[in-house]
Amino acid sequence: MQFTVEQILSVRHNYRDAPYPGFCLEEVVRRRRTGQTKLVRGENAWVAKGAADSEKEWVQRLVQSTLNKLTETNNDVMLEKLCVREIFHKSEITDMVVNMIFKKALDEPENAKLYAGVCLSLALYEAKEVNEMQKGERLHSHLRDAIISSAQYQFRMAREELSTTEGMCEEEIEMLRLNTMRRQRANMKFVGELYLCTVLSHSTMFDLLNITIRPVGDAKYPTSDYIELLVALLNTVGERLDASHKKNVDNYFNALAGFLKKTDCPYPHRIRFKIMDLLDLRKNGWGSKSKAAKPVAPAPIQGKEKKVAAAASSSSVAAKRGSEASLAAGPRNFRETSSGAAKTSSGLYAASSAGSGLGLHGRGTSTSSSSAAANTGAAADAAFRGTPPPEVPLVNFELRVASMFQEWVADRTNDMILHWVEQFNTCDRVFESESELCVAVALEVIKSACLTTRKDAQREAFSFLVVGLFMIDTEVFDGFASALATAIEDGILEDTPKFGERFMSMLRLTSTEQETRADVYFDAANVLRLTYNRLEEADDFAVDTLMTFWERVPHLSADEENMIRMDLDVLYNVCNPEGAQPGLEKLLSRIIHSMFELELMEPEVMDEFLSLEVEDGLCAKVIEDYKQRFLK
């Protein structure tokens, strides 16, 4: 306990005698100091460094400091500071600088363009200032040669790391593979940016493309990892190569399209979708396709307003992410049903005159598309012959969702996927609105997360919905309700006993640790109510099943600071949804009674709720059912 000087002086007259014989203040202070815990410096403790001991250390500090501060706004200033002759005095120092730049580029692939610009500036500085290159002479730079060697080394290291997996468990091997592929993709992106900066030549790019598209050993197809690297490189340099070496680039795209059409294509759906996206990117002029505006984060809703918003009807239209900008630019992002006669389309397939529309602007399958699909072997034979690739069929919606989710998790990113709705333009499902698409995606993600036994699957799935896809509360809750209704009707609960536990644990994530206990139960009640309205056979058995989920709601701490209770407005909103199915009052009355027993509301609030003068509607039925069940 600490005392101020004023507090000590105020009681000085109360203690005139020594506390014990032989008392000495100096001795007390000495014992106090010796009894204090001494801090021990760690082995890796930071220590302020003095002047550099060598030229190599000085260059290392300069490069590291410059790369850490480098941004698009101060790019010119930092590069001017970095271009010094000491970097090129020894080949050892030059190699060290190149390795430092490569390490930053692999750790931060989003800044690959900046680091490629650093390499270009250093190479030009070496050629002009250090080597005193004359006008018209060929560029000669040791740094450029070191860059090529580092890129080749990174490419070889991946195969060596994946071959040394002896003694590792499956999880460790998978983690090693993911980390290796992440570095390899970053390496391809950086190499591509170096080519765009003219540090590397087009012949180097074609060498990499030939290596990645060539089957290894006696294999019939290139490996999935090589195809992924090939796609990553073409995503970066494809537009430039297509403009200057179109015939050569055609060969690679024909080969990729041919792989997709082979009946024995060994690639997983995630790789196939990457190939399809690359083919579409080139077909649309390498990014000339109009894109939707970036979604704007909605303002946070606090307190009672959040509960009212969460309890709103699932049929309300969610806020469109950049829909106005998309409509102004032309076609909408999501697939819509068409009415009436088939319409002409410039998309993947032309609409047939007799078939109903599928997809964006009434696009449907045509007779020409079916004939193209029948020629499954034509694409492989056309590879490297310059013939145009056959058209790609519509992809399965569930597989597209799984591929997008797996890619987001594999990249271990925490960013929003921009324009993700456009990835469903070529799917085989039809949606009336973007909100309906969001609910369908949430259904698939939540259901798959509750079926798997993989650790942290539920947390990753929830993060994917709210961070990666930027879904709002109503879309997420509708997705939970649709997933639970599907599980009940398809018999998944009997086949997967742990489904309910995983489902409620994932639903718990909708309320953070800082929010109240009432929020957790309110969200669960809202989802169960929405689920009941989605069931085709809503009866007493369905009510009992949903109540078993209610009993699985994780109990939180009961401290007074975290015990904000529900008021009358919240209860009234729970009992007033739109489009309620018959029998919903039985479920809601049991949920409200359970809330009362859990002390989530004051007795006065419960009495006021039961005394409401409501003549008809669901709220009146809930009150009547509650009185018959629990007030006898």
Side-chain angles (χ1 to χ4, degrees):
M1 182 178 295
Q2 301 290 333
F3 296 97
T4 63
V5 176
E6 290 77 8
Q7 290 174 332
I8 295 175
L9 293 177
S10 65
V11 296
R12 66 183 183 275
H13 299 295
N14 298 339
Y15 303 95
R16 296 182 179 275
D17 299 330
Y20 53 86
F23 171 79
C24 178
L25 182 60
E26 290 78 6
E27 180 65 19
V28 172
V29 173
R30 187 190 67 79
R31 292 178 181 177
R32 177 69 176 175
R33 289 176 177 174
T34 56
Q36 290 180 346
T37 303
K38 294 183 179 180
L39 298 179
V40 180
R41 183 183 297 275
E43 296 180 358
N44 299 323
W46 181 86
V47 179
K49 298 180 180 179
D53 296 333
S54 61
E55 184 181 50
K56 181 178 180 180
E57 183 180 354
W58 182 85
V59 172
Q60 181 182 14
R61 293 187 187 182
L62 173 66
V63 174
Q64 190 65 54
S65 173
T66 304
L67 294 179
N68 290 340
K69 300 174 183 177
L70 186 65
T71 62
E72 293 183 358
T73 56
N74 65 1
N75 187 40
D76 295 337
V77 177
M78 291 292 104
L79 291 180
E80 183 179 357
K81 177 182 177 181
L82 186 60
C83 291
V84 294
R85 289 179 173 269
E86 286 78 3
I87 293 179
F88 310 100
H89 283 178
K90 298 179 181 179
S91 59
E92 177 187 0
I93 297 179
T94 305
D95 294 340
M96 178 195 68
V97 172
V98 171
N99 291 334
M100 293 176 66
I101 297 175
F102 254 90
K103 185 178 184 304
K104 291 287 288 185
L106 299 187
D107 292 340
E108 305 171 15
E110 64 276 6
N111 297 325
K113 186 175 182 180
L114 284 176
Y115 299 132
V118 172
C119 294
L120 174 63
S121 299
L122 290 177
L124 292 176
Y125 177 82
E126 180 187 9
K128 295 179 180 179
E129 302 295 334
V130 179
N131 298 336
E132 298 180 354
M133 181 185 69
Q134 300 297 326
K135 185 176 181 180
E137 291 183 356
R138 183 179 179 182
L139 175 66
H140 176 70
S141 170
H142 174 71
L143 184 135
R144 179 182 178 276
D145 298 337
I147 290 173
I148 297 176
S149 300
S150 294
Q152 295 173 345
Y153 173 77
Q154 293 292 337
F155 196 77
R156 291 195 305 268
M157 279 296 296
R159 287 179 289 182
E160 295 178 3
E161 289 180 357
L162 293 177
S163 62
T164 58
T165 57
E166 185 177 355
M168 295 184 179
C169 63
E170 293 184 2
E171 292 185 359
E172 293 175 339
I173 295 176
E174 180 64 17
M175 184 64 66
L176 175 63
R177 194 191 72 82
L178 291 176
N179 291 333
T180 302
M181 284 304 301
R182 191 180 308 113
R183 291 200 309 272
Q184 286 293 85
R185 289 194 300 268
N187 184 36
M188 283 297 181
K189 182 175 178 61
F190 184 51
V191 168
E193 293 293 346
L194 289 172
Y195 165 70
L196 297 180
C197 290
T198 68
V199 176
L200 300 180
S201 64
H202 68 273
S203 60
T204 305
M205 297 300 102
F206 283 119
D207 288 341
L208 288 173
L209 293 175
N210 291 332
I211 292 174
T212 52
I213 205 170
R214 187 184 304 123
V216 179
D218 298 332
K220 187 177 179 181
Y221 296 94
T223 63
S224 297
D225 293 344
Y226 273 6
I227 291 296
E228 188 172 359
L229 298 180
L230 173 70
V231 172
L233 183 58
L234 285 176
N235 274 324
T236 305
V237 304
E239 184 175 7
R240 174 76 66 84
L241 290 177
D242 205 13
S244 57
H245 303 81
K246 187 176 185 303
K247 291 185 178 180
N248 293 334
V249 175
D250 286 341
N251 294 332
Y252 299 103
F253 278 87
N254 292 340
L256 290 174
F259 294 153
L260 293 179
K261 300 304 295 182
K262 274 289 189 178
T263 55
D264 58 343
C265 180
Y267 302 127
H269 295 289
R270 185 176 67 88
I271 301 300
R272 296 187 188 187
F273 290 148
K274 282 181 175 289
I275 297 175
M276 293 178 187
D277 292 340
L278 178 63
L279 296 177
D280 290 341
L281 183 64
R282 191 194 190 201
K283 186 177 181 180
N284 294 321
W286 298 101
S288 61
K289 181 179 178 181
S290 60
K291 296 183 179 180
K294 181 178 180 180
V296 180
I301 303 176
Q302 303 293 337
K304 187 189 304 180
E305 295 179 358
K306 176 187 175 182
K307 298 179 176 63
V308 175
S313 170
S314 61
S315 62
S316 61
V317 180
K320 296 292 186 292
R321 299 170 180 79
S323 58
E324 291 81 5
S326 178
L327 287 173
R332 301 180 67 177
N333 290 332
F334 48 85
R335 298 169 52 79
E336 297 180 317
T337 56
S338 63
S339 58
K343 304 174 184 179
T344 59
S345 171
S346 59
L348 190 61
Y349 293 124
S352 63
S353 58
S356 60
L358 275 178
L360 198 62
H361 296 293
R363 288 187 304 181
T365 56
S366 65
T367 55
S368 61
S369 65
S370 60
S371 62
N375 298 328
T376 55
D381 297 334
F384 294 103
R385 294 183 182 178
T387 57
E391 294 179 334
V392 182
L394 296 176
V395 297
N396 181 268
F397 172 78
E398 290 78 9
L399 295 179
R400 170 64 78 180
V401 174
S403 173
M404 186 167 60
F405 172 55
Q406 292 171 6
E407 183 175 352
W408 189 81
V409 173
D411 290 340
R412 297 186 181 277
T413 181
N414 200 31
D415 298 330
M416 181 180 64
I417 304 175
L418 297 178
H419 318 298
W420 65 268
V421 178
E422 294 181 357
Q423 298 189 29
F424 293 88
N425 286 349
T426 55
C427 286
D428 57 358
R429 289 275 299 274
V430 180
F431 301 96
E432 294 287 348
S433 65
E434 184 176 344
S435 180
E436 184 180 337
L437 169 62
C438 292
V439 174
V441 172
L443 184 156
E444 294 298 330
V445 173
I446 294 171
K447 184 176 69 173
S448 62
C450 296
L451 289 175
T452 183
T453 59
R454 186 168 56 84
K455 185 180 179 181
D456 295 333
Q458 292 80 38
R459 186 173 296 276
E460 291 175 350
F462 182 76
S463 299
F464 173 69
L465 295 178
V466 299
V467 178
L469 305 187
F470 203 74
M471 290 189 181
I472 60 178
D473 286 350
T474 53
E475 294 167 347
V476 175
F477 287 138
D478 286 343
F480 271 105
S482 299
L484 182 54
T486 302
I488 294 175
E489 293 176 342
D490 294 349
I492 297 178
L493 300 182
E494 291 77 11
D495 299 336
T496 310
K498 288 283 188 179
F499 185 93
E501 178 182 345
R502 297 166 187 160
F503 182 89
M504 298 309 295
S505 297
M506 186 174 177
L507 182 61
R508 167 68 184 86
L509 299 175
T510 59
S511 299
T512 62
E513 296 294 342
Q514 288 74 24
E515 292 184 318
T516 65
R517 293 180 66 206
D519 282 334
V520 179
Y521 287 93
F522 177 83
D523 293 342
N526 182 34
V527 169
L528 296 181
R529 183 194 65 185
L530 295 173
T531 302
Y532 185 89
N533 286 334
R534 281 168 168 75
L535 294 175
E536 295 183 0
E537 298 181 1
D539 49 16
D540 292 342
F541 177 76
V543 173
D544 295 336
T545 302
L546 293 177
M547 285 305 298
T548 61
F549 279 83
W550 174 261
E551 295 170 357
R552 290 192 177 101
V553 177
H555 292 273
L556 303 181
S557 60
D559 56 294
E560 291 298 326
E561 184 180 356
N562 208 27
M563 280 289 290
I564 301 177
R565 294 174 172 84
M566 296 184 181
D567 54 18
L568 181 61
D569 292 340
V570 175
L571 289 181
Y572 187 77
N573 286 322
V574 170
C575 299
N576 279 279
E578 296 180 4
Q581 286 207 70
L584 180 58
E585 66 275 3
K586 300 177 182 179
L587 174 66
L588 294 181
S589 64
R590 293 174 63 177
I591 289 177
I592 291 175
H593 180 69
S594 176
M595 289 180 177
F596 179 70
E597 290 184 334
L598 292 171
E599 299 181 356
L600 295 177
M601 62 188 73
E602 299 290 350
E604 295 79 7
V605 175
M606 192 66 199
D607 295 338
E608 189 177 359
F609 172 73
L610 295 177
S611 61
L612 287 176
E613 297 181 359
V614 184
E615 296 181 357
D616 54 4
L618 179 62
C619 187
K621 295 180 181 179
V622 172
I623 295 175
E624 181 181 357
D625 187 82
Y626 187 95
K627 292 179 179 179
Q628 292 178 357
R629 286 177 181 270
F630 306 109
L631 298 183
K632 291 182 179 180

